[in-house]
Amino acid sequence: MTTTTTEATTDLYPSRGATEVSVPRQDPVFWGAPDTPGPIASGDLEGYERDGFLSVEQLIGPDEVAVYHDELERLIADPAVRADERSIVEPTSREIRSVFEVHRISEVFARLVRDERVVGRARQILGSDVYVHQSRINVKPGFGASGFYWHSDFETWHAEDGLPRMRTVSVSIALTENFATNGGLMIMPGSHRTFLGCSGATPQDNYKRSLQMQDAGTPSNEALTGFADRHGIRLFTGAAGSATWFDCNCMHGSGDNITPYPRSNVFIVFNSVENEAVEPFSAPVRRPEFIGARDFTPVR
């Protein structure tokens, strides 16, 4: 399906108004043809369409994990990286929480983005060529790293980045063991079928706060309770090298890590080249390009 100019400027998913709204999904979950070749088996695609996510037990091997983990450690130890606006620090400990646009500042992570095991799955799910809307490394050291509150990424990417349709998929690749206790990813299975438009206007430069602590774009407790009652909550665990693919509209979050065991991952967001960002639907200005890309060059 090709996104036309009319479609791109029509707001199918209103949000950040006076009240919270719930809208049925207007877009496919799986955009490819059933016989489209790719790394994902047909049964797994059916599960992805039903639940909104797909787990891969070992996307990359132990030797590769070591390379990417070493690169993560190099980046967060580099004073120049820390001083860059693409680095987000914890509000209390002042340790690095995330480094954005890692596929541009690191050739090691750029190679991972181009890896067919990674980008091939994105093309298969989205049914087109893809570009990187966002990439980052997330770092959750032990003893107090804070979590990410419940949210739908699409709500933010639509409201603040201008992505018109739900034609975006994310992959979180574990670079450390994901235990049940060290702040792992949680998703509400099936929540991707409903768009929850949050209430409240988007503040100017909201990204400066939201990357440390989500506020605008946060669902109400009542809505989250309803979602959890209907869909349940799945916690993802797995060895380093495992990965979770999930739809842009999944309701998800993660808890604090108060264990001694760090949790780090690389997070890549692929968007269809037929779903280019337009102007934000519910924000005064676009977020910076290191958060929401405006370079729509397909990954090759």
Side-chain angles (χ1 to χ4, degrees), residues 175-194:
L175 300 181
T176 55
E177 182 96 14
N178 281 241
F179 301 105
T181 51
N182 65 342
L185 174 68
M186 296 181 288
I187 296 178
M188 297 184 186
S191 59
H192 63 303
R193 295 282 184 182
T194 304

Side-chain angles (χ1 to χ4, degrees), residues 4-108:
T4 66
T5 301
T6 300
E7 290 173 326
T9 55
T10 300
D11 189 356
L12 297 177
Y13 301 105
S15 191
R16 312 287 174 97
T19 59
E20 197 171 54
V21 296
S22 180
V23 178
R25 185 187 184 105
Q26 306 295 304
D27 293 307
V29 178
F30 172 59
W31 289 77
D35 58 350
T36 300
I40 309 174
S42 58
D44 290 334
L45 283 172
E46 291 169 5
Y48 177 84
E49 191 162 20
R50 179 188 67 244
D51 298 327
F53 57 79
L54 167 67
S55 293
V56 179
E57 189 172 332
Q58 187 179 65
L59 183 68
I60 58 175
D63 291 345
E64 296 170 292
V65 168
V67 171
Y68 295 121
H69 189 267
D70 286 350
E71 180 68 354
L72 178 147
E73 293 291 340
R74 183 189 71 80
L75 289 172
I76 65 174
D78 185 338
V81 172
R82 182 182 178 86
D84 194 292
E85 66 173 344
R86 290 172 287 193
S87 292
I88 310 301
V89 299
E90 290 279 358
T92 51
S93 70
R94 309 307 296 170
E95 292 188 73
I96 286 184
R97 174 186 178 95
S98 300
V99 180
F100 281 79
E101 217 170 37
V102 288
H103 71 296
R104 293 195 180 277
I105 63 177
S106 164
E107 178 54 33
V108 173

Side-chain angles (χ1 to χ4, degrees), residues 27-281:
D27 293 307
V29 178
F30 172 59
W31 289 77
D35 58 350
T36 300
I40 309 174
S42 58
D44 290 334
L45 283 172
E46 291 169 5
Y48 177 84
E49 191 162 20
R50 179 188 67 244
D51 298 327
F53 57 79
L54 167 67
S55 293
V56 179
E57 189 172 332
Q58 187 179 65
L59 183 68
I60 58 175
D63 291 345
E64 296 170 292
V65 168
V67 171
Y68 295 121
H69 189 267
D70 286 350
E71 180 68 354
L72 178 147
E73 293 291 340
R74 183 189 71 80
L75 289 172
I76 65 174
D78 185 338
V81 172
R82 182 182 178 86
D84 194 292
E85 66 173 344
R86 290 172 287 193
S87 292
I88 310 301
V89 299
E90 290 279 358
T92 51
S93 70
R94 309 307 296 170
E95 292 188 73
I96 286 184
R97 174 186 178 95
S98 300
V99 180
F100 281 79
E101 217 170 37
V102 288
H103 71 296
R104 293 195 180 277
I105 63 177
S106 164
E107 178 54 33
V108 173
F109 286 116
R111 290 197 302 269
L112 180 62
V113 165
R114 298 191 298 265
D115 191 310
E116 189 60 26
R117 294 169 297 179
V118 177
V119 69
R121 283 177 166 84
R123 293 191 190 108
Q124 190 178 2
I125 290 168
L126 301 180
S128 69
D129 279 333
V130 298
Y131 70 92
V132 176
H133 176 69
Q134 184 185 103
S135 73
R136 67 179 187 260
I137 48 174
N138 291 326
V139 185
K140 271 193 179 181
F143 301 117
S146 56
F148 293 84
Y149 197 67
W150 290 105
H151 64 286
S152 155
D153 286 330
F154 180 75
E155 193 278 339
T156 297
W157 298 338
H158 181 71
E160 300 186 38
D161 297 340
L163 292 191
R165 310 296 293 266
M166 294 182 183
R167 200 170 179 179
T168 313
V169 63
S170 302
V171 59
S172 174
I173 305 172
L175 300 181
T176 55
E177 182 96 14
N178 281 241
F179 301 105
T181 51
N182 65 342
L185 174 68
M186 296 181 288
I187 296 178
M188 297 184 186
S191 59
H192 63 303
R193 295 282 184 182
T194 304
F195 174 75
L196 188 64
C198 299
S199 62
T202 307
Q204 188 81 21
D205 291 336
N206 179 54
Y207 76 94
K208 293 180 179 179
R209 173 174 171 81
S210 67
L211 296 179
Q212 291 182 326
M213 185 177 295
Q214 189 86 358
D215 188 7
T218 301
S220 68
N221 290 347
E222 293 77 14
L224 288 171
T225 300
F227 266 56
D229 286 346
R230 287 195 301 275
H231 302 296
I233 297 173
R234 167 80 181 272
L235 170 66
F236 293 86
T237 59
S242 61
T244 303
W245 293 83
F246 60 101
D247 179 83
C248 58
N249 192 45
C250 283
M251 190 64 67
H252 67 288
S254 64
D256 296 349
N257 181 14
I258 61 172
T259 76
Y261 310 111
R263 176 183 175 267
S264 298
N265 69 304
V266 54
F267 185 79
I268 307 164
V269 180
F270 293 101
N271 188 40
S272 169
V273 296
E274 298 175 5
N275 190 42
E276 292 181 1
V278 294
E279 289 306 305
F281 286 89

